[in-house]
Amino acid sequence: MELNERKQKILEAIIRNYMETGEPVGSRTVSKYTDLNLSSATIRNEMSDLEEMGYILQPHTSAGRIPSDKAYRLYVDTILQRKDEEVSEMKELMVEKADKIDLLLKQVAKLLAQNTNYTSMVTKPKYRHKRIKFIQLNPMGERQLLVLVVLDNNHVSNKFINLEEDLDENVAAQMNFLMNTALTGLDFTEINMAIMQQIKDKAGEYVDLASSILDCVSEVMSEEDDSEIYTSGATNILKYPELSDKENMTGLLSTFEEKQMLAAWANDSPPDEEQEHGIQVYIGEESPVESMKDCSVVTATYKIKEGVYGKIGIVGPKRMDYEKVVGTLENCMQQLDDIFKKK
């Protein structure tokens, strides 16, 4: 007897419902979980076939069915394969998109430096909010559990938990379902103590494992985005006598070359969403970067979509042509808006 697509969907509905409720599952319940639009009678026939094939069991007469070990094995193998394929597709898409954005932002930095005769800085986009897309638990050899967390920005992070004993894959599947049911779609700020306690309560005897998984999720959500910064026109500062003395020149060139000192600027909070592009001017001591205290810095914020933003800065002498710089940044922001809206 063949386990066709219809039988697989019915079996998956039985497994998911049983893992959620712990109660035997009947045909009427299954009819609400599938998109096959089948009658209860047809589902009962399919369930009889599944029972004959050893995938479901009937604990007692007139009761619904529960999954067998064979069903859990099929379910675990199937969902792991699906998630592995989804993660692979995401990584390929991320690389493709990242390459395109990298090239675009490098070109923006170059054009701004050329058009203004100053030095430009452009950060890669960051994410204001992080939401959980899904969590995948994979038991590994040598008493380890791989916790894979995918965020809605398609960031993929792997964490490992060392276990005191081997973890049954059926238990891993149930914990996986529990975590995804409770956490998928939530922002980090929405995962409060009450939600975590509910997860631990439902985990029962595996409460310690649930706590370790939640620790991994929390660690991923609190990780800072890498703030890669592209710069161009660093040598333009040599054109301005007040910045070209040995001490100033060495400090500024080192800042643009090493880039670590630009982190304060890159990680500065973005302006409010309603503040269009957030153009700001820092003069002398107002600069967030120590080596730029003798300069002026004009910055703007670009937005790819809601909650995804980056920053652009122009660095020059205090006597810079502010009107030209602000106008250039405004024009640049408008062009970026047009480009990102087409994506």
Side-chain angles (χ1 to χ4, degrees), residues 39 46 68 71 79 126 142-143 146 153 158 165 171 184 207 224-225 240 245 254 260 305 308 312 318 320 330 336:
S39 66
E46 295 286 10
S68 66
I79 62 171
K126 296 183 66 172
E142 301 179 356
R143 297 182 177 180
L146 170 64
N153 60 9
N158 299 326
E165 56 186 26
V171 175
T184 295
V207 60
E224 285 291 331
D225 295 330
Y240 306 99
D245 67 83
S254 176
Q260 291 95 330
K305 61 180 181 179
V308 185
I312 296 176
K318 295 177 186 177
M320 71 159 55
E330 281 283 12
L336 285 177

Side-chain angles (χ1 to χ4, degrees), residues 104 108 332-343:
L104 171 63
V108 167
C332 178
M333 294 300 102
Q334 187 58 58
Q335 291 185 48
L336 285 177
D337 283 349
D338 292 342
I339 291 171
F340 291 135
K341 283 174 184 176
K342 293 176 183 177
K343 288 183 175 295

Side-chain angles (χ1 to χ4, degrees), residues 199-251:
I199 292 173
K200 293 177 183 179
D201 291 343
K202 290 182 179 179
E205 61 182 301
Y206 301 104
V207 60
D208 290 339
L209 176 60
S211 295
S212 297
I213 296 170
L214 287 170
D215 288 343
C216 290
V217 173
S218 177
E219 187 177 340
V220 171
M221 299 289 275
S222 59
E223 288 174 348
E224 285 291 331
D225 295 330
D226 293 334
S227 297
E228 187 167 352
I229 305 170
Y230 306 114
T231 61
S232 185
T235 56
N236 283 345
I237 61 174
L238 301 177
K239 299 176 182 179
Y240 306 99
E242 63 268 44
L243 300 179
S244 60
D245 67 83
K246 186 174 182 180
E247 185 176 349
N248 275 335
M249 180 181 65
T250 301

Side-chain angles (χ1 to χ4, degrees), residues 20 22 44 55 58 62 66 79 92 96 130 165 172 181 225 233 252 267 285 298 304 328 330 335:
E20 184 176 353
R44 281 195 295 272
Y55 286 108
Q58 189 173 27
S62 75
I66 63 174
I79 62 171
E92 290 175 6
E96 181 183 347
K130 298 178 182 177
E165 56 186 26
T181 300
D225 295 330
L252 284 169
N267 295 322
E285 293 294 328
V298 183
I304 293 181
T328 300
E330 281 283 12
Q335 291 185 48

Side-chain angles (χ1 to χ4, degrees), residues 63-120:
R65 306 313 200 269
I66 63 174
S68 66
D69 289 350
K70 183 179 179 181
Y72 281 125
R73 164 52 55 201
L74 176 66
Y75 177 71
V76 169
D77 290 346
T78 301
I79 62 171
L80 291 185
Q81 181 182 350
R82 286 179 192 165
K83 296 305 181 185
D84 286 341
E85 290 172 355
E86 187 172 344
V87 170
S88 296
E89 290 173 1
M90 276 185 189
K91 287 181 176 178
E92 290 175 6
L93 186 61
M94 287 164 60
V95 170
E96 181 183 347
K97 285 189 173 181
D99 285 346
K100 290 180 180 178
I101 291 178
D102 285 355
L103 290 173
L104 171 63
L105 296 181
K106 287 177 183 177
Q107 187 66 17
V108 167
K110 182 178 179 180
L111 290 174
L112 286 174
Q114 290 176 346
N115 290 343
T116 62
N117 267 326
Y118 302 129
T119 303
S120 64

Side-chain angles (χ1 to χ4, degrees), residues 133-242:
K133 191 166 188 177
F134 69 79
I135 298 168
Q136 180 180 331
L137 307 179
N138 291 347
M140 310 296 287
E142 301 179 356
R143 297 182 177 180
Q144 277 194 324
L145 178 66
L146 170 64
V147 181
L148 186 147
V149 182
V150 180
L151 303 181
D152 65 342
N153 60 9
N154 288 338
H155 173 75
V156 181
S157 184
N158 299 326
K159 302 292 179 183
F160 286 93
I161 297 175
N162 293 318
L163 307 170
E164 295 183 359
E165 56 186 26
D166 292 335
L167 180 66
D168 187 279
E169 290 192 351
N170 294 334
V171 175
Q174 293 182 47
M175 293 296 293
N176 194 84
F177 182 80
L178 173 61
M179 291 292 167
N180 279 287
T181 300
L183 299 178
T184 295
L186 293 185
D187 184 80
F188 183 48
T189 58
E190 298 171 327
I191 303 176
N192 54 36
M193 293 300 295
I195 291 175
M196 290 191 286
Q197 189 58 51
Q198 288 175 5
I199 292 173
K200 293 177 183 179
D201 291 343
K202 290 182 179 179
E205 61 182 301
Y206 301 104
V207 60
D208 290 339
L209 176 60
S211 295
S212 297
I213 296 170
L214 287 170
D215 288 343
C216 290
V217 173
S218 177
E219 187 177 340
V220 171
M221 299 289 275
S222 59
E223 288 174 348
E224 285 291 331
D225 295 330
D226 293 334
S227 297
E228 187 167 352
I229 305 170
Y230 306 114
T231 61
S232 185
T235 56
N236 283 345
I237 61 174
L238 301 177
K239 299 176 182 179
Y240 306 99
E242 63 268 44

